[in-house]
Amino acid sequence: MILWLKGVIFNVTTVDLKRKPADLQDLAPGTNPPFVTFNGEVKVDVNMIEEFLEEKLTPPRYPRLAPKHPEANTAGIDVFAKFSAYIKNPRKDTNDALEKALLKSLRRLDDFLRTPLPEEIDAYAPGDLPESSRSFLDGAELTLADCNLLPKLHILKVVAKKYRGFEIPAEMMGLWRYLNCAYQREEFTSTCPAEREIEFAYLDVAKRIK
């Protein structure tokens, strides 16, 4: 997704991680994608890969993708961890508490998305602050923050519905606006795995409630 937004031409090759080809194992032994190799150095941490691409692919040839607002980088930072705890839990007696923790995290993200950014506020307008109408975390355009968060939200939406019957509440309008804006962008939809692939990947991860 980052390469697409940067305007880099690249090829996509799908591999079976259970039967990794030898050349992939030679590039980064014991490591699963995503990873980047550069001058013999292997980068496996997603955040480090993002920083590396932003550092190497710079203007004027490539656009900057770093958010203007630092708070965009931490919005929804704990959502995926709460989702993982919820979906991997097999115990009925703790399921409700884990679901509530996930909802609380999603609600914080929704609040952030509904709170206007400074440039959306008219200091001279009367009345209460308007609700934000921006498309993405940092404004009208996708940034590194979205590249990090949107795939996780998509996985959460698909897996939680399939294996827990859980759906993001309709009243979280900021969060749904965010997702729907993302689904209208080719950069996101073309780099997301199909829903059936996500469901299959979580077949053994999502624990049955006992």
Side-chain angles (χ1 to χ4, degrees), residues 24-203:
L24 185 64
Q25 296 186 54
D26 293 341
L27 280 172
T31 301
N32 284 329
F35 62 82
V36 167
T37 60
F38 184 75
N39 288 342
E41 183 182 355
V42 180
K43 299 181 185 295
V44 297
D45 179 79
V46 172
N47 292 327
M48 289 181 63
I49 291 172
E50 290 177 352
E51 291 172 5
F52 170 78
L53 293 174
E54 184 73 352
E55 177 187 329
K56 295 297 181 182
L57 304 176
T58 58
R61 186 172 181 181
Y62 304 105
R64 289 203 180 278
L65 296 179
K68 299 187 299 291
H69 306 93
E71 58 270 26
N73 285 313
T74 55
I77 195 169
D78 64 340
V79 166
F80 201 72
K82 300 296 184 186
F83 155 73
S84 294
Y86 172 61
I87 206 69
K88 293 176 182 178
N89 169 57
R91 294 172 50 188
K92 186 175 182 179
D93 60 330
T94 57
N95 185 67
D96 286 350
L98 290 169
E99 183 173 307
K100 286 177 182 177
L102 174 59
L103 281 168
K104 184 177 180 180
S105 181
L106 289 170
R107 196 168 293 113
R108 281 197 299 269
L109 176 58
D110 181 64
D111 289 342
F112 173 78
L113 289 163
R114 296 171 75 168
T115 301
L117 296 172
E119 58 266 31
E120 294 181 282
I121 299 172
D122 182 350
Y124 301 101
D128 297 332
L129 287 177
E131 186 169 300
S132 177
S133 61
R134 69 187 186 276
S135 299
F136 303 109
L137 292 173
D138 197 55
E141 296 300 327
L142 289 160
T143 65
L144 288 177
D146 302 296
C147 292
N148 189 294
L149 182 60
L150 279 170
K152 296 174 182 177
L153 282 177
H154 179 63
I155 290 171
L156 183 159
K157 183 174 75 73
V158 172
V159 174
K161 182 177 181 180
K162 172 70 175 179
Y163 295 108
R164 288 291 186 273
F166 172 91
E167 296 190 61
I168 298 171
E171 63 265 24
M172 294 187 182
M173 293 182 288
L175 188 43
W176 276 111
R177 182 186 69 243
Y178 180 47
L179 283 169
N180 289 330
C181 286
Y183 290 136
Q184 294 172 29
R185 294 290 294 261
E186 188 179 12
E187 302 96 327
F188 179 58
T189 57
S190 295
T191 54
C192 258
E195 291 192 7
R196 64 182 180 278
E197 292 178 2
I198 296 172
E199 291 171 355
F200 180 75
Y202 272 80
L203 185 62

